[in-house]
Amino acid sequence: MTAADIHRAILAVWRIEQPRLITGLSRMLRDVTLAEDLTQEALVAALEHWPVTGVPEKPGAWLMASAKRRALDDLRRRNMLARKHAMLVRDLEQEQQAMPDFDAALDDDIGDELLRLIFTACHPKLSREARAALALRMICGLTTEEIARAFLQPEATVAQRIVRAKRTLSDSGLAYETPRGKELSERLASVLEVVYLIFNEGYTAASGDEWLRPQLCNDALRMGRVLTQLAPQEPEAHGLLALMELNASRVAARTDAAGDPILLMDQNRALWDRLQIRRGLSALDRAHALSGGPGFYALQAAIVACHATAATPDETQWPRIADLYGRLASLVRSPVIELNRAVAIGMAEGPAVALAIVDGLAGERALKNYHLLESVRGDLLCKLGRPAEARAAFETAAALAGNKREQELLRRRAAEANAPDRGPLRARN
């Protein structure tokens, strides 16, 4: 294995194990920021040692053991400052004696530890934007650049939010817990947003070599199910669960054997998980029954349900989808929602109408570097018989995309744009 192979292996392991490392150490240390710092130190240790000793048989366990040793060292240095620290050291040492097999510890279900960490990060003392950014940093392992891309914000702005949020958490000594009652209600909206962002990152990775990160999708789904139990009368919790179940039902059809993306209209619908679709529709019914009107997540779930219940691409109810996007836009003013609405209108009324909407969004500051704006333009220009412009749009989109698989897909589409047998307009998924 070359040094480059080992480096890639370390980063791949890191992406998978980072949430478990942070949640495990946070539970022991009662300090989320310190837990993140120590896991970063464990990563640095791996980068130093593994190129020399090779990748260990169980790399996740190695990282956890390394992080725990650093946690013990840190607590020992500080235990003279407070009796509480001394107690934590004893607890840690007793835990290690009782459960020395770190491999087995990593294989255990982490229960709701991840959700508890999100509730901690979503404390009302932090701003709404800071909560989501901090959670994505610690739980998804996203870089500041990737988070900035997800929020369509400048990288420096997001970096400042994360630094301030971590300082607030460290200074205030916030409890590491899942709140109940009124406190749970106060944090629920932010927690739903974070779980939604985690699922989205797993469903379409913002960067990296793979388009899907199934572990993040599974973690988000599990947390969504727990949230509907914690807040059974909250319609948006059921709406978010419905949205995630319905989207996740298509995961098996979204990539080919090589891991390359397959767009919605090209997917083999026989691979869609019908049981998961039924669970999603049931959760959507529950959300509708509890609410006076569908909310942000329930409306998106209703859109995905239109796809999930269409037996063939031609049976998709595009006018209804366009209407649902219009209702969504009335709830949340977002150029991304408007872009998605344009896609639906393009399918329902024709590409010329949609292109006018998309071109009207070109001046939106938030979409300045948003690759899907150019990708959608490429689709519409293709259908309008303007191949040279379509090719240019796809090439621009590929240059802006952060994910390797998506870049390759967009470059292929740019190359196909001038081909005489190019396929029909494809909808984004």
Side-chain angles (χ1 to χ4, degrees):
M1 184 179 286
T2 66
D5 292 336
I6 292 176
H7 188 77
R8 280 194 292 272
I10 293 172
L11 294 182
V13 170
W14 177 249
R15 274 190 176 274
I16 295 170
E17 299 295 346
Q18 185 191 21
R20 292 186 178 209
L21 296 172
I22 292 178
T23 52
L25 290 183
S26 295
R27 176 173 56 81
M28 290 183 285
L29 298 168
R30 311 298 196 265
D31 187 327
V32 175
T33 304
L34 177 59
E36 192 201 6
D37 291 343
L38 293 175
T39 56
Q40 294 282 348
E41 290 185 17
L43 170 63
V44 172
L47 290 168
E48 291 173 349
H49 288 86
W50 293 5
V52 178
T53 61
V55 178
E57 184 177 351
K58 295 183 177 179
W62 191 99
L63 287 168
M64 177 60 89
S66 177
K68 281 189 172 181
R69 280 197 300 272
R70 284 164 171 75
L72 280 171
D73 289 344
D74 184 86
L75 288 173
R76 287 192 178 104
R77 283 195 299 270
R78 295 186 296 149
N79 65 2
M80 66 186 69
L81 301 176
R83 183 179 300 171
K84 178 181 177 181
H85 288 176
M87 180 185 68
L88 288 172
V89 171
R90 287 197 300 274
D91 289 347
L92 268 174
E93 291 175 337
Q94 289 172 0
E95 182 176 329
Q96 284 198 312
Q97 291 172 2
M99 189 176 63
D101 186 354
F102 294 118
D103 300 354
L106 277 180
D107 290 339
D108 285 346
D109 184 354
I110 60 174
D112 66 346
E113 292 293 328
L114 203 57
L115 190 59
R116 189 174 300 156
L117 181 62
I118 295 175
F119 267 106
T120 302
C122 290
H123 196 281
K125 286 192 174 184
L126 304 180
S127 70
R128 172 182 168 272
E129 295 82 3
R131 298 169 197 165
L134 185 63
L136 290 174
R137 180 82 178 85
M138 293 191 301
I139 297 164
C140 297
L142 297 189
T143 65
T144 304
E145 179 185 359
E146 292 166 345
I147 297 169
R149 187 191 299 273
F151 285 110
L152 304 178
Q153 292 285 327
E155 186 175 345
T157 301
V158 173
Q160 289 174 357
R161 282 179 191 160
I162 292 174
V163 169
R164 284 197 295 266
K166 291 169 71 173
R167 187 182 301 130
T168 300
L169 285 181
S170 292
D171 294 346
S172 57
L174 300 177
Y176 173 64
E177 62 184 8
T178 301
R180 302 286 174 179
K182 182 181 177 183
E183 287 191 10
L184 187 148
S185 299
E186 289 175 347
R187 300 189 203 181
L188 186 60
S190 288
V191 171
L192 292 177
E193 181 182 26
V194 170
V195 173
Y196 170 65
L197 292 170
I198 290 172
F199 182 87
N200 284 346
E201 175 59 22
Y203 195 64
T204 306
S207 63
D209 295 339
E210 302 301 329
W211 203 39
L212 297 175
R213 297 178 65 185
Q215 184 61 48
L216 289 181
C217 287
N218 292 335
D219 283 344
L221 269 167
R222 180 177 53 76
M223 289 186 285
R225 292 167 186 147
V226 172
L227 284 168
T228 59
Q229 299 300 313
L230 289 172
Q233 300 303 311
E234 173 52 56
E236 280 292 79
H238 294 278
L240 175 59
L241 180 59
L243 174 60
M244 294 192 295
E245 295 276 16
L246 290 168
N247 271 327
S249 71
R250 303 201 303 252
V251 164
R254 293 187 75 235
T255 56
D256 61 18
D260 290 326
I262 301 176
L263 299 182
L264 173 62
M265 303 301 276
D266 300 328
Q267 290 173 9
N268 179 359
R269 299 185 180 219
L271 296 177
W272 290 3
D273 187 330
R274 298 296 162 185
L275 177 60
Q276 197 156 28
I277 289 174
R278 287 198 292 274
R279 287 205 300 266
L281 295 176
S282 176
L284 183 56
D285 288 342
R286 179 66 175 159
H288 285 156
L290 288 170
S291 67
F296 179 69
Y297 301 114
L299 277 171
Q300 291 189 77
I303 291 168
V304 182
C306 290
H307 296 298
T309 55
T312 67
D314 291 341
E315 294 179 33
T316 306
Q317 299 178 54
W318 290 108
R320 173 168 168 71
I321 293 174
D323 176 66
L324 288 167
Y325 271 121
R327 295 168 66 185
L328 192 61
S330 69
L331 281 181
V332 179
R333 201 287 179 190
S334 162
V336 174
I337 293 174
E338 189 64 7
L339 181 63
N340 289 335
R341 190 177 75 88
V343 173
I345 288 176
M347 298 299 288
E349 302 178 22
V353 181
L355 185 60
I357 299 173
V358 172
D359 285 343
L361 292 170
E364 289 280 351
R365 183 178 178 185
L367 299 184
K368 181 180 178 183
N369 296 313
Y370 190 54
H371 69 287
L372 292 179
L373 177 69
E374 288 298 324
S375 176
V376 170
R377 283 192 76 247
D379 276 328
L380 298 171
L381 290 165
C382 242
K383 195 168 186 181
L384 288 167
R386 295 159 61 177
E389 295 170 86
R391 178 171 186 150
F394 283 130
E395 287 174 344
T396 302
L400 292 172
N403 183 277
K404 180 182 174 183
R405 300 279 184 177
E406 201 161 19
Q407 290 169 352
E408 293 171 349
L409 169 68
L410 290 164
R411 292 191 186 108
R412 284 198 300 274
R413 301 206 67 193
E416 294 166 359
N418 284 324
D421 61 342
R422 64 181 181 274
L425 175 71
R426 295 166 178 167
R428 291 179 50 229
N429 53 350

